[in-house]
Every structure is written in structure tokens, then in C-alpha cells.
Amino acid sequence: MRIFVTGATGFIGSAVVKELIGAGHHVLGLTRSDAGAKALASAGAEVHRGDLENLESLRSGAAKTDGVIHCGFIHDFSKFKEVSEIDKRAIEALGSALAGSNRTLIVSAGVAGLRPGRVVTEDDDHPAQSSMPRVSEQVATSLASQGMKTVVMRLSQIHDTTKQGLVTWLIAMAREKGVSAYVGEGLNRWSAAHVLDVARLYRLALEKGETARYHAVDEEGVRLRDIAEAIGRGLKVPVKSLSPEEAAAHFGWMALFAGWDISASSAKTRERLGWHPVGPGLIADLDKMKYFEG
């Protein structure tokens, strides 16, 4: 198949591009830069110029392919509502190009904020009232009635030894403030999966070609205290428990996530797609990071 991939030079998207090409698919990768074009060409992908705010480039890329994997997102959480609106318009543009074609649109979402305090499953609907500005899942679901197959890929903390989802920001804060922190007893948990396992999951979902929700989750939940301690070891900084009031000042925009339990199951995803994660765990990758290089 010929697949249009947004975010094709990003952390997850670049892994998806390699996975697709390795499985014999042809990739049309979205990029706005010369460096991105060079990276895509080196990976064996066809280059499509544009960005998430150029809706015509999104529509034209989607129109000439057999399916779309939307990995692109502007990761500026200080402007979360604004970038979520950009994401919404991008998904709608992609969907307009696929309407009535019965082709597949895979949209990236998240497990965060769905059911804080308990393990989220694939059967859990997105709550009608949510504090999360990102609405990618709701937009994708609304497109299912327009003659396409829509897949929602709910992401956890996607990691290797260079990046780890929200944990990347915890590392940056610990580096800046000289302390690796968690809230209370740090027993709230974040689910996680290795980026190469996740790239394979996107491919399996594409090849399955059914409207569904999947969870990109290997580890159901890793305690925030364990994450903070791994960061402390790596950066050689003290590890500290913060009260909720202290956490608001310390974490800033991240305070909302830092105290949440974001644990999730992928049992049904594994059963439906035959997905068996094999990559290292989150703590193992944190322990192998080169914190003082780059």
C-alpha cells in the first residue's frame, strides 16, 4: 500500500516510516524542511512538502494514497489548547480527502485523562466532559460515518534511550531545577511502550484495516516515584516528594499530568492484532540514557 504519514520525521513517525517500508509499503512522508526531506529520502520514502497548518497539502497527500497515519502534533504544551485546535483542523482535512473511499485513517491520541484512578481499556469511551484540550479521538470517531475506516491509536509514554513522552519534560525540569520530583507518595502510574513496538502496532492496525481503538501500551503502569528515582540516578540529583501545592509551582503546566494515574491495558489490542511487545521497559531505557551528552 501507499501510505501518507504526517509527523514522518518525528520521534514516532520516523519509526513508523521505517517499519512500513521494511514491510514492503510505499510511504509518502510529510515534511516542511530540507533536512526532513533529506531524512525521508534516505529512509526510502517519497517526500511531500507541507505542514499541519497547510490544509491543502494534507488533503492532497491523503488523496493520492491508500491510507493515512497521522502522527504529527505540535508538542508545545504551554499552548496545548491552540495546538490541539490545529490538530483538529488537520484531522478534518485528512478525513475530507478520504470520505467515501473506505480507506483507513489512523489518528494518534492518548490514554491520559480518560479514567484517572483506574486502568483504562480499549472499551472505555472518551468522557463527554474532559479537561484535556486535545480532541483528536473525538474528531476521528466523528469521521467514521463518512465512508472511511477510522483507527484511534491511544499512546502512552513512548520511549527509547533518547525520548520518553511526558517523561522527557520531567527530565528537563529535573535538570533545570536540580531535583527530580514526584507528587505525594509517587504511587500514581504511567503506562509505557518502546517506540519500535509502537511503530509495529501502527503497521498492524493499518494492515488490519478495521475501525477500532487500540492501546500502544506494553507496561500497564510504572510508578512516578520509580521514574523520578531513575531520573535522579541519571542526572545525579536528589529525589523529592512534593505536596500537591508544591507540585503546582514546581511542574507548571506539567502539574496536571504529574499527579494523574495514567495506567492502561492493551489486552484487547494484543488479541485483535497479534501484537507482542519485545522492547525494553521505560526504567531500563532511562537507566541507559546518556544524560550528559548532546
Side-chain angles (χ1 to χ4, degrees), residues 153-289:
M153 188 66 71
R154 288 176 173 170
L155 302 174
S156 55
Q157 307 316 307
I158 312 306
H159 61 85
D160 63 6
T161 58
T162 62
K163 291 186 178 181
Q164 303 82 22
L166 290 173
V167 179
T168 302
W169 277 270
L170 294 182
I171 294 169
M173 289 181 182
R175 191 189 303 275
E176 175 190 346
K177 301 190 176 186
V179 60
S180 180
Y182 57 89
V183 183
E185 296 181 11
L187 299 181
N188 58 307
R189 303 184 305 155
W190 287 359
S191 54
H194 192 275
V195 66
L196 296 183
D197 286 322
V198 174
R200 188 167 69 258
L201 180 58
Y202 273 95
R203 176 179 62 80
L204 292 172
L206 173 76
E207 292 171 348
K208 185 75 170 178
E210 294 180 355
T211 293
R213 279 193 298 248
Y214 298 118
H215 281 190
V217 171
D218 177 10
E219 296 176 283
E220 190 173 280
V222 183
R223 297 191 313 172
L224 261 290
R225 180 170 182 167
D226 295 333
I227 294 171
E229 289 175 346
I231 295 170
R233 289 193 298 272
L235 288 175
K236 297 179 173 52
V237 298
V239 179
K240 183 180 179 182
S241 169
L242 302 177
S243 69
E245 295 74 23
E246 292 172 325
H250 179 87
F251 289 112
W253 64 265
M254 268 281 292
L256 176 67
F257 299 99
W260 268 357
D261 188 274
I262 315 177
S263 54
S265 165
S266 61
K268 293 189 176 181
T269 295
R270 297 177 194 228
E271 179 182 352
R272 292 168 184 164
L273 295 180
W275 181 58
H276 303 290
V278 297
L282 174 60
I283 299 299
D285 270 348
L286 287 174
D287 284 340
K288 291 179 181 176
M289 275 192 69

Side-chain angles (χ1 to χ4, degrees), residues 6 8 29 35 38 58 82 85 89 101 129 155 167 186 202 241 248 270 287 293-294:
T6 72
K38 183 177 180 180
L58 296 179
E82 179 181 332
E85 281 298 312
R89 291 192 291 271
S101 69
Q129 301 296 324
L155 302 174
V167 179
Y202 273 95
S241 169
R270 297 177 194 228
D287 284 340
E293 293 184 12

